[in-house]
Structures are given as structure tokens and as C-alpha cells.
Amino acid sequence: MIQSHICTIGDELLIGQITDSNAAFIAGELNKTGVMVTQIHSVGDRKEAIWKLLDESLQQADLLVLTGGLGPTRDDITKNTLAFYTGSSRFYRSEAQETHIVDIFEKRGRMLLEIDRKQADVPETCKVIENKLGTAPGMWFDYKGKVIVSLPGVPYEMEGIFPLVTQAIQHHFSTSLSPIIHQNIATFGIPESALAHKIADWERALPSELRLAYLPNPCSGVRLRLSCYDIQGGSQLIEQAINNLKPILGNSVYSLSDQSLAEVVGALLIQEEATVATAESCTGGKIAAMLTAQAGASAYYLGSILAYHNRIKEELLEVPADLLHQYGAVCSECVEAMAQGAKKRFGADFAVATSGIAGPSGGSLEKPVGTLWVAVATPQKCTAQKFVFSGNRLINIDRFAAAALNMLRLSILETTTYK
Amino acid sequence: MIQSHICTIGDELLIGQITDSNAAFIAGELNKTGVMVTQIHSVGDRKEAIWKLLDESLQQADLLVLTGGLGPTRDDITKNTLAFYTGSSRFYRSEAQETHIVDIFEKRGRMLLEIDRKQADVPETCKVIENKLGTAPGMWFDYKGKVIVSLPGVPYEMEGIFPLVTQAIQHHFSTSLSPIIHQNIATFGIPESALAHKIADWERALPSELRLAYLPNPCSGVRLRLSCYDIQGGSQLIEQAINNLKPILGNSVYSLSDQSLAEVVGALLIQEEATVATAESCTGGKIAAMLTAQAGASAYYLGSILAYHNRIKEELLEVPADLLHQYGAVCSECVEAMAQGAKKRFGADFAVATSGIAGPSGGSLEKPVGTLWVAVATPQKCTAQKFVFSGNRLINIDRFAAAALNMLRLSILETTTYK
């Protein structure tokens, strides 16, 4: 199998200023292309560190994909280091990239500086991979029988270029690429150890060619992953395993195709030609943001009343003032009234409402931080459910929103006739 | 200086199933403690890969912090590998950790399995670092004059344990720790190359002990970072540099203390004892979610009307139907009406409204995907501004929300007398 290392470059990674999302993206794309990633590294903007990494990785891997350090400012040294490493100090200007740079500046109505134009200069030892979304082009080096690819560090530019990298890899390595299959099974609502217990017999019966992994996430549930490297008939083995698993897990499985909870809910609503509205308190717009992050959400999503203040719950969602005074906002009565209020106000088929205590303050013995009430109104009924989580404010908000979306998902699945 | 490597373990990292957020957190914490991180690695759940990494990293670094591979399922092999590596196959059960495990299962009302209880077993070569938030404890190994720390991979558990790790590092390395200072200067609204041009004289005049880096982000602007390693008087040098920079950049700087735009807006509103409401269309709850992610947001944030559907803009925000029919929803008139409608409906001091085209569909020649109109209503006036970005749907939504928050920030700064 063709093996690859990935290296992300930048002092900001080593001091924790940013989270490295590039490595995961590149690893996913390389896997799809049939390249196995065996190690990921991050080093700083230092010539010696990059040089040493090039030495070590090219000994172990056939391909090394680098990102970062291609910016126009003085702290960016990747391009010069690669030039020297590959044995050249001469640069040429890529006319194609220069055109993109001029275009970008014109579109944004900004003054073009010589420092920007110089971004189109690359070492004579490389081929240019054009970058239409930014100023720094990617570079492809054939070096002593190995390949080095250097890409800009800005994620959306790197992602925009990557299809060209994939093409070049397919062309260069062609028949050496191997099929790698990963099948994810996204579950919600069963903790990792209970899940392992529940599927123990199934796991024992898996064919030895399949590798199973558990990936728990407090917000998106436990994902199971079946992997299969470089064998014939792998996809049939996986299909059979999935078919055996389905009756064991039922509706706890929400996706077999890497969809998020929000994507699954969106697809269900489109399928049922139904609409949804939200009434959020403690989740503060998170559910709405998750739903509207999906392209085409306007087909089923009508809107939200974000009733952070109790007065808004009364005025816009018609939650009775008595109810709020008697029970407070964190109770089944309140979320049910909110869901019904939103359903009516927006004229939606479904509505989901949340009220809870995300923290860090506002908790009590009876209703500790982490308490959430969710209600879902369907065409037939309105039900509420209580959840108790433990986490900090941000984790709680994410878990609250996920629990609410999952309850909405189950309610849509239950509702077979409506409208 | 004490040097550290970080290694995150898990096949899911090498196939791009998840983004590694642990490395950034750990790197940030180690820097604060005076430990310099020189390299970050990710390897798979394979004994040989972990073993080789331990060999190589312990040659180069004084400290190695590992995360991941401590779960209860069969694919988790870090604990056994560390036991063998440090020369022991004997385990002992940590009573303290066992108590936490029992507590966690009782609180959640779940059945405790032996597989869960066994999580409290650790190699006799390590000291336990208790984990109250999850079942897998951290482990501290003193090994041949170096230190290996192994932590669970679930981010909020790892983050919850980390204060204990910091204490142990301070105790163990004590006087060998060095001051490392990073000062971030968060700017918004000036592209990287223009920023570099604008501050070129200031950059040239920087003392040689300070290192400057540019970190552009399409959503949060360009962050400048001044760093200073292991010298006396570093903080005075940085303070002086910042004082010289302030008059050059003015209100383009939104934070010198790593605050997000939403945090800065929240702090300004608290300072002015003012409230804000939002009326979001294309941003779909993102601005609300950013504002309410801040603890204490209820002091200034009243709520939102998320008018995804035009009918809601009319009914709840009192945007005139004529206006919508004549100009559509993406124009200055509509966002101004939305902002004023929200300000009135919520009785807020400020309101911010957005309407635009996030994509992928819905664009036209006149109003391409990436077009955003933002309006901010203040106690005195209501102004609208147009932005045009280029990105995919998710990037556009994030940029839209950031542009709106920044416009709100500038409007609050401008408003000196109100209420």
C-alpha cells in the first residue's frame, strides 16, 4: 500500500493557538483515494524542524503532504525551505497563479501589493497546483522517488485545491493504490460500554478481515467504524455485518453514511414533506444553527423564536405567565407550551422546544446545571422529556441541542400519518 | 527549557474521522506552564507505532503527553503498551478511580459492568491521575529520567484532568520551567497583506527578542502574535510594542486577551448596561449561538426572531410586505426593518439583523452567493452595510455572523450616550 505522512506547519499549532483541522481533512481524502496515512506531525515555522521532518518522513513514507507556512509574511518559511531541500534556490513565477491573485484583489476591490504578486513565485523544482481561492499556490515536488506536496494552511483554500492533488496522486501512483473501506455506524443514546455489551455477540462473529472501532462523542453519540484494508470482497463483508447489526440497534442508529443528526432530520422532513420550527431557550440558537447549516434547509425549516428572556416566552410563545411563576421555565409544562406555541406561531408540522440550565450558574439541588427539558410537538401530540448531563457550558449546550434533535428525529420516525 | 512532545493516539485521526482538538488544548496549557512544545504527532491504535513513537520522542523531549486509546473496548491498547514499555505487566486497581466510576454510573442510573470497573486498573509503573468526569484515569510514568503522561482521549475528560497534570509538572520540573509569553492582538476587517503593509514600520522597529506571527482566519480576522521565550523583562517589551501599535490599528483591534468577538460584544454590553436582540435570516441562529455561548449572556441578550421564512419577517418583525415584494429580503431596506422590528419587539437597546445568500443555491448575478446585508439598530439610529464574501455555505454563515458581530461591536463603541 502507498503510505503517507501528513505534516502541518506553524508555531500557532505548537502553542495551542489553533486547532489543526487540515490534518483530518487531508487524511480523509487520502484514505478515499486509497492511500494509507501512517502518521501525522505538526512542527513549528523553523527551518531545522521542517528539514528534519522531511528527512524522517521520506524514509518511512511514499508521500508527504505539508500544509502551512506559505503566507506572504516573514514568519512563513516553508517555500524557501522546500526549495533548498529539493536542491534549488531558483524560483519562477507561475503566470496562472499570478492571474488568480490579480483576480482576487480586483474582486475584493483591494490594492495589489508586490508582496501579494510574489506569492506566485515557486521553486523551479516543483510543479504548481493552482489556488483560485487564495494567493499561495500548492506545490508538487518529485524528489528521489518520493512525492512532497505543499499546500496553503488556510483550510478553505487547502480544501479547494485538494481535488487537484487527488487527481495528481491518482495519476502518479495509479495501480499502486489500494481499496480502503471505512463504514461508519452512527448511534445515539447508548453509552459506549453498554453498546459494547449489547453488540458483543455480533462483534465476536465479525470476520477477521474487518476491524471494529468505537468512537464516543458526548455530543454526537458513539460511532462504530468497520474498516477493511486492501482485500477483495470487502464491501460485501461489511454489508453483511451491517445487516446483522441493524435488528440489534434499531432506531439507535441514525446514519450509515456519515450524516449528522441535523442532516438526518432534514432528510426525514424532506421525505415526509413536513416543516419544523424551533423555540429555544437554553440552547440559544444552537439547534437552529445546526439545522440551517444544511443546504436547502429553507425547504423544511421555518424559523425560531429564541426566548432567552421569560417575557419573550410569554409574549411570543404564549407560555402562560402563571405557569412560569408557579413552575419556572425549566419543566415539562413550560417546554410543552413553548413547542405548541412555536408550532402554532410558525404554522409548522413539527416544533421542538428546549429549556434548561447550561451553567455555569443558575443550578439548584433540584435542577442542577446540566438539566434539560425538551418537548416535541408533532401533528398528533406533544411530549416532553428530561435529560441530565454533566459538562461545562459549551459542552452542555451542544449535548442539549443534540438530544433535542434526536428526540425530534425519533418523533418524526414515530409519526406515520399527519398533515 | 523543558521540551515536550504531544502524541494523540487513534486510528480515527489517521483516517480523518475526527479533528484533533486535544493537541491544541494541551499545547496551550503546557506553554502557560513554561514548557515548550516542539512537536505534535498522531499515530494509530497499533502497538508498534506507539512503541516507536515513545522511543523517538523520549530521545528528543523531556516530557511526552499522550491522549487516547484508554477506552474499555478492544481497540484501545495504549494502557497495555505503556505497561510493557515501562517494564511491567502487573496492574493494580486504583480505589479512588473505582469510586469515581461507581459514582458516574449511579448518577446516570446505568448498570455497571465489570468492563467499566476494570478501567480503574493501571500498570504498577505509574501513578494515577484521577478522572472524575469519566471512567479512564490519567497515568504518570517516571521513566529513565523522562516523564510520560497518558490521558483519556475524550476532550472534556482530558481537559477536566489537566489541572492535576499541570500541578504535577510544576512540582516535578519546578525551577527548570521558563517564562514563555504569547501576546495575541486580534484584528478584524483588514486583510493579512494590507495589515502587514500598514504595520511594516512598527514591525521593523520591534526589538529582536520579540517574534511576530500573522494568523489569518476567514471568520475571526487576522490575529497577530508577539512571542517571547525565556528572557527577563519580556512582558515590558511586549507592553511597549502594543502601546506603539494601538494608534496604528485603532478599533480594528478587538481583543488583546484572546476574547472572541462575541465575548467582546458581551463585555461592552455589560459595561454599558445595555441589551441586545437579534433578527437572523441567512445566519440561521449562528449569531445567537455565538452570543449565548458566553456565560452570563442572559444579562444582556434578550432573544431572537429567526425569520427564515419571509412570512415570519412580515408577521413577527413587521417588515412591510410591499418592501419584501419590491426589493426582496436581501437589501438594506429589509435588514433595517428587521433590526428595528426586533429592537421594538424585544424592547432592546441594540438589535442586529442579517439577510443574505449563504449558498450553495439562491444566488444571482446581481446578488451572488456570499452577499450579506447587516443592519444594526442603536438607541439613536439604524444603519445597514453590505458585504460580499466567497466561500462555501458553512464558511459563509460563519463569516456573515462574524461580520454582523463586528458591526455591532463598532456600533456600540460609537454610541456614547443612549437609554
Side-chain angles (χ1 to χ4, degrees):
Chain A
M1 295 193 75
I2 299 297
Q3 300 200 347
S4 176
H5 280 205
I6 296 168
C7 181
T8 53
I9 299 170
D11 287 350
E12 64 274 16
L13 297 162
L14 298 185
I15 65 169
Q17 195 175 22
I18 64 160
T19 291
D20 178 12
S21 62
N22 284 347
F25 176 86
I26 295 168
E29 294 301 307
L30 290 178
N31 261 261
K32 283 185 216 154
T33 314
V35 172
M36 188 170 188
V37 177
T38 52
Q39 204 157 341
I40 297 170
H41 312 266
S42 303
V43 298
D45 295 301
R46 314 258 165 179
K47 190 181 167 191
E48 310 74 42
I50 298 172
W51 198 282
K52 182 160 163 289
L53 184 111
L54 286 162
D55 275 347
E56 288 173 0
S57 284
L58 292 176
Q59 268 178 36
Q60 299 167 47
D62 310 290
L63 169 66
L64 173 60
V65 181
L66 310 169
T67 67
L70 301 183
T73 50
R74 287 201 285 177
D75 53 319
D76 294 301
I77 59 158
T78 303
K79 190 157 71 177
N80 275 324
T81 305
L82 283 169
F84 282 107
Y85 190 86
T86 54
S88 169
S89 57
R90 288 172 58 181
F91 286 69
Y92 70 97
R93 182 158 293 189
S94 158
E95 283 178 29
Q97 186 61 39
E98 192 176 14
T99 308
H100 297 317
I101 294 171
V102 172
D103 275 0
I104 288 168
F105 276 76
E106 268 178 11
K107 257 190 207 155
R108 298 185 193 165
R110 288 180 189 155
M111 189 181 52
L112 183 66
L113 305 170
E114 180 54 24
I115 190 179
D116 298 308
R117 216 179 265 275
K118 275 192 75 175
Q119 288 282 82
D121 294 347
V122 296
E124 61 175 6
T125 42
C126 82
K127 282 176 260 179
V128 159
I129 308 170
E130 292 174 37
N131 177 7
K132 292 184 186 177
L133 301 173
T135 54
M139 297 176 282
W140 173 288
F141 297 87
D142 286 297
Y143 179 71
K144 297 189 178 173
K146 305 287 176 98
V147 172
I148 307 167
V149 176
S150 167
L151 302 172
V154 176
Y156 91 108
E157 294 181 24
M158 185 277 293
E159 292 171 19
I161 290 180
F162 215 86
L164 296 175
V165 177
T166 299
Q167 273 178 28
I169 288 173
Q170 284 168 336
H171 181 76
H172 183 90
F173 293 105
S174 64
T175 53
S176 313
L177 298 171
S178 319
I180 300 176
I181 310 172
H182 298 296
Q183 169 71 52
N184 288 321
I185 303 128
T187 74
F188 200 91
I190 311 176
E192 185 182 14
S193 60
L195 186 66
H197 188 68
K198 196 163 184 164
I199 65 174
D201 291 343
W202 172 83
E203 184 173 352
R204 266 190 294 274
L206 281 176
S208 61
E209 294 90 341
L210 299 186
R211 197 178 150 91
L212 177 71
Y214 290 76
L215 190 68
N217 179 299
C219 303
S220 56
V222 180
R223 270 182 290 180
L224 298 169
R225 187 186 65 240
L226 284 169
S227 299
C228 177
Y229 291 87
D230 200 17
I231 64 151
Q232 293 298 314
S235 53
Q236 285 80 0
L237 288 179
I238 284 180
E239 199 182 328
Q240 186 56 51
I242 298 281
N243 284 338
N244 296 340
L245 184 63
K246 277 181 185 163
I248 305 170
L249 295 180
N251 277 350
S252 300
V253 174
Y254 67 87
S255 176
L256 295 172
S257 52
D258 299 326
Q259 290 178 300
S260 66
L261 274 172
E263 274 180 285
V264 171
V265 165
L268 281 174
L269 289 167
I270 285 174
Q271 180 188 308
E272 302 295 336
E273 296 181 28
T275 56
V276 69
T278 46
E280 302 187 50
S281 181
C282 59
T283 46
K286 185 79 194 180
I287 302 173
M290 289 165 84
L291 286 169
T292 58
Q294 312 309 317
S298 54
Y300 49 83
Y301 186 65
L302 299 179
S304 184
I305 287 166
L306 212 161
Y308 219 59
H309 202 284
N310 276 353
R311 178 166 54 79
I312 309 303
K313 294 184 182 82
E314 291 174 34
E315 286 177 19
L316 293 182
L317 291 167
E318 298 177 25
V319 178
D322 291 358
L323 191 162
L324 285 167
H325 295 144
Q326 202 177 339
Y327 303 108
V330 183
C331 63
S332 62
E333 291 82 359
C334 178
V335 283
E336 285 181 4
M338 286 169 69
Q340 277 166 331
K343 182 165 177 274
K344 182 178 154 198
R345 176 71 79 174
F346 288 93
D349 301 310
F350 291 89
V352 56
T354 56
S355 185
I357 302 145
S361 61
S364 65
L365 257 183
E366 204 193 333
K367 295 176 186 174
V369 166
T371 304
L372 168 73
W373 275 98
V374 182
V376 176
T378 75
Q380 287 99 17
K381 60 179 181 179
C382 183
T383 42
Q385 196 179 332
K386 185 185 173 183
F387 300 83
V388 182
F389 299 105
S390 57
N392 62 30
R393 181 180 181 85
L394 292 183
I395 295 277
N396 280 338
I397 291 175
D398 285 351
R399 285 180 154 183
F400 288 1
L405 275 179
N406 191 55
M407 190 167 158
L408 174 60
R409 177 181 72 89
L410 294 174
S411 302
I412 302 170
L413 288 173
E414 263 178 36
T415 307
T416 49
T417 53
Y418 54 84
K419 284 201 300 185
Chain B
M1 293 192 78
I2 299 297
Q3 300 201 347
S4 177
H5 281 205
I6 296 169
C7 180
T8 54
I9 299 171
D11 286 351
E12 64 274 16
L13 297 162
L14 298 186
I15 66 170
Q17 195 175 21
I18 64 161
T19 291
D20 178 11
S21 62
N22 284 347
F25 176 86
I26 295 169
E29 293 301 306
L30 290 178
N31 261 262
K32 281 185 217 156
T33 313
V35 172
M36 188 172 189
V37 177
T38 52
Q39 205 158 345
I40 297 171
H41 312 268
S42 303
V43 297
D45 296 300
R46 315 258 163 178
K47 191 181 164 187
E48 310 72 46
I50 298 172
W51 198 281
K52 183 162 161 288
L53 183 110
L54 286 162
D55 276 348
E56 288 174 0
S57 285
L58 292 176
Q59 268 178 35
Q60 298 168 46
D62 310 290
L63 168 67
L64 172 61
V65 182
L66 310 168
T67 66
L70 301 183
T73 51
R74 287 202 285 177
D75 54 316
D76 294 301
I77 58 158
T78 303
K79 191 156 70 177
N80 275 323
T81 305
L82 283 170
F84 283 106
Y85 190 86
T86 54
S88 169
S89 58
R90 288 171 61 181
F91 286 70
Y92 70 98
R93 182 158 293 187
S94 159
E95 284 179 28
Q97 186 61 37
E98 194 177 13
T99 308
H100 297 317
I101 294 171
V102 173
D103 276 0
I104 287 169
F105 276 75
E106 269 179 10
K107 256 188 209 157
R108 298 184 193 167
R110 290 178 188 158
M111 190 181 51
L112 184 66
L113 306 169
E114 179 55 23
I115 192 180
D116 297 308
R117 215 178 266 275
K118 275 191 75 175
Q119 289 280 82
D121 294 348
V122 296
E124 61 175 5
T125 41
C126 82
K127 283 177 258 179
V128 159
I129 308 170
E130 292 175 37
N131 176 6
K132 292 183 185 177
L133 300 175
T135 55
M139 298 175 283
W140 173 287
F141 298 86
D142 286 297
Y143 179 70
K144 297 190 178 172
K146 305 287 175 97
V147 172
I148 306 167
V149 176
S150 167
L151 302 172
V154 176
Y156 92 108
E157 295 181 22
M158 184 277 292
E159 292 169 20
I161 290 179
F162 215 87
L164 296 175
V165 177
T166 299
Q167 273 178 29
I169 288 172
Q170 285 167 335
H171 181 75
H172 183 89
F173 294 103
S174 64
T175 51
S176 312
L177 299 171
S178 318
I180 300 177
I181 310 172
H182 299 296
Q183 170 70 54
N184 288 322
I185 303 127
T187 73
F188 200 92
I190 311 177
E192 185 182 11
S193 60
L195 187 66
H197 188 67
K198 195 163 183 161
I199 65 175
D201 291 342
W202 172 83
E203 185 173 352
R204 265 190 292 275
L206 280 176
S208 61
E209 295 91 340
L210 299 186
R211 198 176 149 93
L212 177 71
Y214 291 74
L215 191 68
N217 179 300
C219 303
S220 57
V222 180
R223 270 182 291 180
L224 298 169
R225 188 186 65 240
L226 284 170
S227 299
C228 176
Y229 291 86
D230 201 17
I231 64 150
Q232 293 299 315
S235 53
Q236 286 79 0
L237 288 179
I238 285 181
E239 200 183 327
Q240 185 58 49
I242 298 281
N243 284 339
N244 295 341
L245 184 64
K246 276 179 185 165
I248 305 171
L249 295 180
N251 277 350
S252 301
V253 173
Y254 66 87
S255 177
L256 296 171
S257 52
D258 298 327
Q259 289 177 302
S260 66
L261 273 172
E263 275 180 284
V264 170
V265 165
L268 280 174
L269 289 167
I270 286 175
Q271 180 189 306
E272 302 296 334
E273 296 181 28
T275 57
V276 69
T278 46
E280 302 187 49
S281 181
C282 59
T283 46
K286 185 78 193 181
I287 302 173
M290 288 166 83
L291 286 168
T292 59
Q294 312 309 318
S298 55
Y300 50 84
Y301 186 64
L302 298 179
S304 183
I305 287 168
L306 211 160
Y308 220 60
H309 201 284
N310 276 354
R311 178 167 53 79
I312 310 303
K313 293 185 182 81
E314 291 173 34
E315 285 177 20
L316 293 182
L317 290 167
E318 298 176 22
V319 178
D322 291 357
L323 191 161
L324 286 168
H325 294 143
Q326 201 177 339
Y327 303 106
V330 182
C331 62
S332 62
E333 291 82 357
C334 178
V335 284
E336 284 181 6
M338 287 169 70
Q340 274 164 333
K343 181 165 178 273
K344 181 177 155 199
R345 177 71 81 172
F346 288 94
D349 300 310
F350 291 89
V352 56
T354 57
S355 186
I357 302 147
S361 62
S364 64
L365 257 183
E366 201 193 334
K367 295 176 185 174
V369 166
T371 304
L372 169 73
W373 274 98
V374 182
V376 176
T378 74
Q380 288 99 14
K381 60 179 181 176
C382 184
T383 42
Q385 196 178 332
K386 186 184 174 185
F387 299 85
V388 183
F389 298 105
S390 58
N392 63 32
R393 181 179 180 85
L394 292 184
I395 295 275
N396 279 339
I397 292 175
D398 286 351
R399 285 181 156 183
F400 287 2
L405 276 180
N406 190 56
M407 190 168 157
L408 174 60
R409 177 181 72 89
L410 294 173
S411 301
I412 302 171
L413 287 173
E414 262 177 36
T415 307
T416 48
T417 51
Y418 55 86
K419 284 200 299 184

